[in-house]
Amino acid sequence: MPPSPSPRPRRAEPPVRARGDACPGALRLHPAADGHLARVRIPAGDLTAHQAQALADAADLLGDGRLSLTSRGNVELRGLPDGCGGRLAELLHDAGLLPSERHERIRNILASPLAGLDLNTPADVRWWARRLDELLCASDSATALSGRFLFVLDDGRGDVAALGGDVTLVAESGITGDGTTGGGALLRVGDDPAALRIAGPDAPRAALAAAETFLTAAAAGDTGAWRVRELPDDHALSVRDVAEGLRAAGIEASYVAEGAGVPYVAEGAGVPGSAGAYADSSAPGIIEGRDGRRALSVLAPLGRLSVAQWRLLASLAADEGSGELRLTPWRGMVVPGLPAAAAAPRLRELAAAGLVTDPSSPWHRIGACTGRPGCAKSRTDVRADVTAAVEAGAPLPPGLPVSTPVPEAAPLYWSGCERRCGHPHGTWIDVLATEAGYRVTVVAPDAPRPTPPATATPTAPTATATATATAPPATPGTPESRPE
């Protein structure tokens, strides 16, 4: 049984939103310090090779020649000039990446990247993702969702169930490619540790109904909440509330209380790599499939790929793979369907191109925000700093005592300001640029919040550290366009 979402940490009062979110999209571009930014939603991270090439064309013709992967498996294009929106929309339309302009920012669907691929895959939930996307794009009410609202579909291995979904579906046993046979699903909302058990074929409709129930609660709460966790306490959403919406939609559901077959995740929730017999979907390397074929999983250092690297992956998928690619929430890409004999040599070619192909790489589980010059709010060029640290063999600034407990698989994340854009979920190591230098803390879901550091901007932060366990940072005052 996979883990449930990590418990809600102690937090500030829910924010009151005076307006809708300003999250960037493919059609709503965000002005950044390095030009405009577009965020293209890729539901479940699924791309055809043709669509991947179209994104490379957009980055090459209109952007800065690079593509960024987000923690939700989406793609960002940076450095876009004024007046390019029409041409960008045309490129994306032609590639089938904009099925509905009204819904393009709400197609936030995250799914287990290796579903249906590895030797011991528990369930293939990609059908859920495709069907849910169709339902979202056909729903008038769904357009009221914010660009931050997130659907998570876990195939049962527990790799994405704890990644902060507003509506989470977890497969309980084998689901076939068409979603019509096999076992059922557990549906969760926000941080409610209880769940609803539903039939597998009902999962996509149930997810949409849960989102519509959230919209009703958000309207009643009158705080402009964008996400389930932002609802005020007197209008908090539970699965019991969702059950009523499911009944109205003709979907049968049974209540599963916490502790009744639904394990509750505590320390380390959201840290990948503990899925037992299942392949680790966060790790780079070769994935053995049931059909004798192989998938290649690679990571992009700090989530950024050049157009050349991106085209290499797209061409490999088209020429020797299944013609598809999958983006992962760990800022990586999976190329399925290669012949077994081709897997190792092709992986070496990807390594030679500068991609991360080995779990022992120092770039594995290291991330960073955009930093300067792309973000004016950053205190420093974070990516240059972390690159220098990795090349020097010291990606973690000194200062944490040996006695400080640090989970072995905890990701390391460098941030240029307190917003910590794109930071991991669960337990992680926070390297934050402050006035005094880089402050290092171990972030845990249930620890007290840290005192915010000084906000003055130093010329060049130096490496300092503190050894405290802190709760995930609160962001009630965060700008609406906060990156993923």
Side-chain angles (χ1 to χ4, degrees):
M1 182 72 68
S4 58
S6 51
R8 176 187 288 187
R10 289 188 287 274
R11 60 169 191 168
E13 288 298 313
V16 176
R17 307 289 192 186
R19 59 180 178 176
D21 78 277
C23 267
L27 302 177
R28 179 195 286 180
L29 306 188
H30 171 67
D34 58 348
H36 291 279
L37 177 151
R39 183 177 297 157
V40 184
R41 268 66 174 186
I42 312 293
D46 286 346
L47 280 174
T48 66
H50 170 68
Q51 290 173 329
Q53 292 288 9
L55 286 168
D57 290 342
D60 202 10
L61 296 172
L62 304 174
D64 63 1
R66 302 184 73 83
L67 300 98
S68 297
L69 302 179
T70 79
S71 60
R72 292 183 170 192
N74 293 321
V75 176
E76 288 183 349
L77 306 175
R78 302 190 68 98
L80 299 169
D82 292 337
C84 75
R87 178 59 178 144
L88 176 60
E90 181 183 357
L91 288 171
L92 298 178
H93 269 299
D94 291 347
L97 291 168
L98 279 179
S100 172
E101 294 187 2
R102 296 176 62 219
H103 298 82
E104 64 99 1
R105 292 190 319 115
I106 68 166
R107 302 169 68 220
N108 295 302
I109 303 173
L110 181 60
S112 296
L114 299 185
L117 290 184
D118 60 316
L119 192 61
N120 297 309
T121 189
D124 186 355
V125 296
R126 315 306 282 194
W127 178 87
W128 287 356
R130 292 190 293 271
R131 181 58 181 148
L132 175 56
D133 189 36
E134 293 172 354
L135 292 171
L136 281 172
C137 289
S139 169
D140 288 333
S141 61
T143 59
L145 292 171
S146 83
R148 305 274 295 275
F149 195 90
L150 179 63
F151 297 91
V152 170
L153 314 181
D154 192 294
D155 69 356
R157 77 185 67 219
D159 57 346
V160 297
L163 295 187
D166 292 284
V167 175
T168 300
L169 291 171
V170 181
E172 288 198 283
S173 58
I175 303 293
T176 62
D178 62 3
T180 58
T181 61
L186 294 176
L187 183 149
R188 296 188 176 96
V189 290
D191 296 315
D192 188 347
L196 296 176
R197 179 169 283 120
I198 56 177
D202 290 333
R205 282 200 305 133
L208 177 59
E212 292 171 338
T213 304
F214 159 77
L215 290 174
T216 300
D222 197 28
T223 61
W226 299 339
R227 307 199 61 190
V228 170
R229 293 165 184 82
E230 295 181 353
L231 291 169
D233 290 341
D234 56 347
H235 288 89
L237 190 65
S238 71
V239 293
R240 290 192 184 277
D241 302 315
V242 172
E244 297 179 9
L246 297 189
R247 280 194 291 272
I251 300 172
E252 294 186 4
S254 59
Y255 180 79
V256 183
E258 177 189 356
V262 186
Y264 193 77
V265 170
E267 184 72 18
V271 176
S274 58
Y278 307 135
D280 181 355
S281 56
S282 76
I286 298 174
I287 296 99
E288 183 180 358
R290 290 178 175 177
D291 56 1
R293 301 185 78 80
R294 302 291 186 268
L296 301 185
S297 178
V298 299
L299 301 177
L302 303 183
R304 293 272 277 169
L305 296 94
S306 67
V307 165
Q309 290 172 322
W310 187 277
R311 290 196 192 280
L312 178 61
L313 288 162
S315 296
L316 178 60
D319 296 342
E320 298 187 62
S322 63
E324 301 172 341
L325 301 102
R326 297 184 182 183
L327 312 183
T328 81
W330 300 284
R331 296 179 171 88
M333 298 179 74
V334 177
V335 184
L338 275 72
R346 297 299 171 266
L347 194 68
R348 288 193 292 270
E349 291 176 8
L350 297 177
L355 296 168
V356 179
T357 61
D358 190 330
S360 66
S361 166
W363 290 106
H364 187 209
R365 297 197 175 100
I366 294 181
C369 70
T370 296
R372 289 186 176 181
C375 178
K377 293 181 174 65
S378 179
R379 295 187 174 91
T380 184
D381 187 340
V382 177
R383 290 170 180 262
D385 292 345
V386 68
T387 298
V390 170
E391 291 176 349
L396 177 64
L400 282 178
V402 177
S403 59
T404 302
V406 180
E408 182 178 352
L412 177 68
Y413 200 80
W414 291 55
S415 303
C417 75
E418 287 77 12
R419 297 191 309 159
R420 298 173 173 89
C421 295
H423 70 76
H425 289 269
T427 297
W428 48 287
I429 303 171
D430 178 33
V431 183
L432 175 67
T434 74
E435 182 182 9
Y438 279 104
R439 187 186 71 178
V440 183
T441 56
V442 177
V443 177
D446 54 356
R449 294 203 177 282
T451 301
T455 57
T457 302
T459 301
T462 56
T464 63
T466 59
T468 58
T470 69
T475 55
T478 292
E480 293 87 339
S481 57
R482 185 168 182 260
E484 295 178 355

